[in-house]
Amino acid sequence: MKVLSKFKITKGFNTWLDMYKKIEPDLNKLGIKILWAGTNEDETMVYDVTEVKDPEEAMKLLTTREDITKQREEAGVILESTEIIDSISNDYWGWY
């Protein structure tokens, strides 16, 4: 299942992206894979399209697993701001 989500950041997009690349293998093993991520102009909000096996379990892992939450917090993610906006049932990727 794919979901559209958002969360606030305080240290800019590149800091978040560097952190994500470090934890990406662990997240992939847990069934969480970001397909696309982008930020607003002032780099205070990240929006992403993520493929997950179970959205509720993914949210739980991203907000409660100590090793993951510590790295996210250190990169400026405001954990409590994480919000799943909606699930995505059909999509189109123009570059394919």
Side-chain angles (χ1 to χ4, degrees), residues 15-41:
T15 300
W16 172 83
L17 187 58
D18 289 343
M19 174 277 307
Y20 175 74
K21 288 177 181 179
K22 289 177 187 172
I23 68 171
E24 184 176 20
D26 291 329
L27 293 178
N28 290 345
K29 289 177 190 174
L30 298 167
I32 302 169
K33 180 165 181 63
I34 292 181
L35 304 175
W36 175 88
T39 187
N40 60 347
E41 189 173 342

Side-chain angles (χ1 to χ4, degrees), residues 9 11-12 21 23 30 34-35 40 42-43 53 55 64 67-68 70 78 82 88 91:
I9 57 173
K11 297 182 180 179
K21 288 177 181 179
I23 68 171
L30 298 167
I34 292 181
L35 304 175
N40 60 347
D42 64 358
E43 296 189 18
K53 291 181 182 178
T64 62
D67 58 332
I68 292 173
K70 181 179 179 186
I78 301 173
T82 304
I88 299 171
D91 56 13

Side-chain angles (χ1 to χ4, degrees), residues 3-81:
V3 295
L4 175 64
S5 61
K6 66 179 184 175
F7 51 89
K8 293 179 183 177
I9 57 173
T10 61
K11 297 182 180 179
F13 188 73
N14 287 333
T15 300
W16 172 83
L17 187 58
D18 289 343
M19 174 277 307
Y20 175 74
K21 288 177 181 179
K22 289 177 187 172
I23 68 171
E24 184 176 20
D26 291 329
L27 293 178
N28 290 345
K29 289 177 190 174
L30 298 167
I32 302 169
K33 180 165 181 63
I34 292 181
L35 304 175
W36 175 88
T39 187
N40 60 347
E41 189 173 342
D42 64 358
E43 296 189 18
T44 58
M45 185 72 72
V46 173
Y47 300 88
D48 63 39
V49 175
T50 304
E51 193 163 45
V52 295
K53 291 181 182 178
D54 179 342
E56 288 183 27
E57 185 64 23
M59 180 70 103
K60 181 179 174 184
L61 285 168
L62 290 173
T63 58
T64 62
R65 191 169 138 177
E66 191 172 319
D67 58 332
I68 292 173
T69 58
K70 181 179 179 186
Q71 290 182 69
R72 292 181 77 218
E73 286 176 325
E74 288 174 355
V77 175
I78 301 173
L79 299 177
E80 59 273 10
S81 71

